[in-house]
Amino acid sequence: MSYTIDVYRGHAEPETSLRRLALYVAYFPQLVAGPILRPSQFFPALAQAWQLHPAALSSGFHLILVGLCKKVLIADRIAPLVNFIFEDPASNPSIVIMLGAAMFAVQIYCDFSGYTDIARGISRMFGIEIPLNFDLPYFSRSITEFWRRWHISLSSWLRDYLYIPLGGNRHGVGLTYFNLMATMVLGGLWHGASWNFAWWGAYQGALLCANRWLAQRASTLPAVERWLGTRVGSFVSWSVTLYLTLLGWIIFRVSEPDQLWAAVKAFVVFDGNLRITAIGLGNAAPFGATIAFVAFIALHAVGHFWRRWPAALDATPQRWLPWIYALVGFLLFFGWPSENSAFIYFQF
C-alpha cells in the first residue's frame, strides 16, 4: 500500500524491475510483523552493490543478541504469569490486576521490540537499515509522546496515510478530533476483528483528543506551562501517562467483555486489598517473572538516562567481547523458559 499510494501521489518513481519490487514486498526480516518499510527506506539501498562490511555484521549480530534476550529472558519469562492473571481477572483483587497490567506492558514491549531488534539486526547484515521502531516509550510524558515512541513505523504510517488524508487538523477542531478517533479506531481494528481492539483504539483516540485539548489550554496559561517543565510537573505527567497506558493495555489484553469490565473496574477502583495471594504457578514462575520485570525496569532506566548505551556494545574492545558472549550464552542456556511463547504481533 505504501508503494502504490506513494507512486499514485507522485512521491515515488515507479519501480521498473519486477525482481526489485518483489524483493521489497517479500523482504523477509520484517515481513511478518514489521517494522513497516516505506519505499524511500528500501529502494535506495538496492542502488548500491551489496558488500560484506565487518562493522555492519558485528553491529547486526549485537542487535540480534539484544532482541533475543528481550524475547527469551524477559517477555517469555513474564508470559505465564500474565496469562494466569488475565485468564480469570474477575477473581483477582486490584493489586493483582495492577501487577498483571504492569507485567503485560513489559511483556508486549520486550516481545515486539525484541522481534524488531532481531529484524533490524538481520537486515543490517544485508546492508539495509530498518529505522528504529521503539524509543523508550514508557518514559513518555504524554499520550502523544507515547505514540511517537511506540511502534513508530505504524504510528507514522497511520498519520501519513490515514490521518492526514482524512484532513488532519486542517478543517477545524471538530473534524480534527473526528480524524484522530477514526485513525485510532482503525488502528485498533488493524490488530484484529475483536471488540476489545476497537475499544482500545477508541480509548487511545479519546486520550489523544484529550491530550490535544489540554495542551492547547495549557499553552494559554504560562504558569501551568512553567510548572509542567519542572521536575515535579514532569514526574506527574509521566505518572499519569504511564497509568493511562497500563489501563489501555488491559483493554488490549482482555477480550471477553465481562472479564474486561471486571479488570478495568479493579484497576480504576482500588478495592483496598493489599495482599498478593499465591498465584498458583509454583515457586519458579513468579520468581522468574519478578527477576525479569526488575531487570527490565533497570535496563529501561539505563537506556533513558544514558542514551548511548545500546551502541556501547559495538564500541566494546574486542578482548572483552568473548566474555560478554559467554555471559549471554550462559544466561540464554540456563534462563531459556520451558515453554516458548509465540511472538504476540504474529497474530495481527
Side-chain angles (χ1 to χ4, degrees), residues 140-143 146 236-246:
S140 302
R141 291 182 294 173
S142 71
I143 294 298
F146 175 82
V236 171
S237 300
W238 168 75
S239 300
V240 172
T241 300
L242 184 60
Y243 177 84
L244 295 174
T245 300
L246 295 181

Side-chain angles (χ1 to χ4, degrees), residues 25-275:
V25 173
Y27 188 58
F28 76 93
Q30 50 84 55
L31 180 63
V32 179
I36 300 170
L37 269 178
R38 311 266 186 108
S40 60
Q41 297 167 332
F42 185 83
F43 285 115
L46 299 186
Q48 304 173 4
W50 180 68
Q51 296 178 345
L52 282 172
H53 294 287
L57 291 173
S58 175
S59 179
F61 177 68
H62 292 159
L63 259 180
I64 293 170
L65 278 185
V66 170
L68 188 64
C69 289
K70 283 182 180 179
K71 168 62 176 168
V72 174
L73 298 180
I74 298 181
D76 286 1
R77 276 290 174 184
I78 290 176
L81 192 60
V82 172
N83 293 339
F84 185 86
I85 291 174
F86 288 115
E87 183 179 1
D88 184 19
S91 64
N92 291 316
S94 292
I95 190 69
V96 174
I97 296 299
M98 292 177 178
L99 173 65
M103 288 279 188
F104 180 66
V106 173
Q107 180 198 357
I108 194 171
Y109 172 78
C110 289
D111 191 282
F112 192 26
S113 69
Y115 172 90
T116 297
D117 289 339
I118 294 171
R120 292 181 66 221
I122 294 172
S123 186
R124 183 174 291 175
M125 290 179 168
F126 284 100
I128 296 176
E129 189 65 27
I130 295 179
L132 186 70
N133 206 32
F134 292 90
D135 185 19
L136 302 172
Y138 293 138
F139 278 100
S140 302
R141 291 182 294 173
S142 71
I143 294 298
T144 301
E145 182 184 351
F146 175 82
W147 280 106
R148 293 194 189 111
R149 292 173 167 228
W150 176 274
H151 203 345
I152 299 170
S153 62
L154 176 63
S155 301
S156 60
W157 199 99
L158 292 173
R159 179 197 65 206
D160 295 341
Y161 294 97
L162 189 57
Y163 174 70
I164 292 177
L166 282 173
N169 59 357
R170 302 189 299 272
H171 303 294
V173 175
L175 281 177
T176 297
Y177 291 157
F178 173 82
N179 294 337
L180 279 172
M181 289 293 296
T183 299
M184 295 311 296
V185 169
L186 290 173
L189 288 174
W190 174 85
H191 292 83
S194 176
W195 279 111
N196 68 304
F197 292 137
W199 292 333
W200 177 76
Y203 171 78
Q204 296 295 336
L207 290 181
L208 287 172
C209 291
N211 192 121
R212 184 180 182 86
W213 184 85
L214 289 172
Q216 290 174 342
R217 298 288 81 77
S219 65
T220 64
L221 302 171
V224 173
E225 265 201 316
R226 287 195 299 271
W227 181 79
L228 289 174
T230 64
R231 289 186 177 181
V232 175
S234 297
F235 178 78
V236 171
S237 300
W238 168 75
S239 300
V240 172
T241 300
L242 184 60
Y243 177 84
L244 295 174
T245 300
L246 295 181
L247 177 57
W249 285 135
I250 292 177
I251 301 173
F252 188 92
R253 176 63 175 75
V254 183
S255 57
E256 293 296 328
D258 293 342
Q259 296 284 5
L260 174 58
W261 170 247
V264 169
K265 183 180 178 181
F267 187 86
V268 174
V269 182
F270 187 67
D271 58 15
N273 185 358
L274 294 175
R275 184 171 62 90

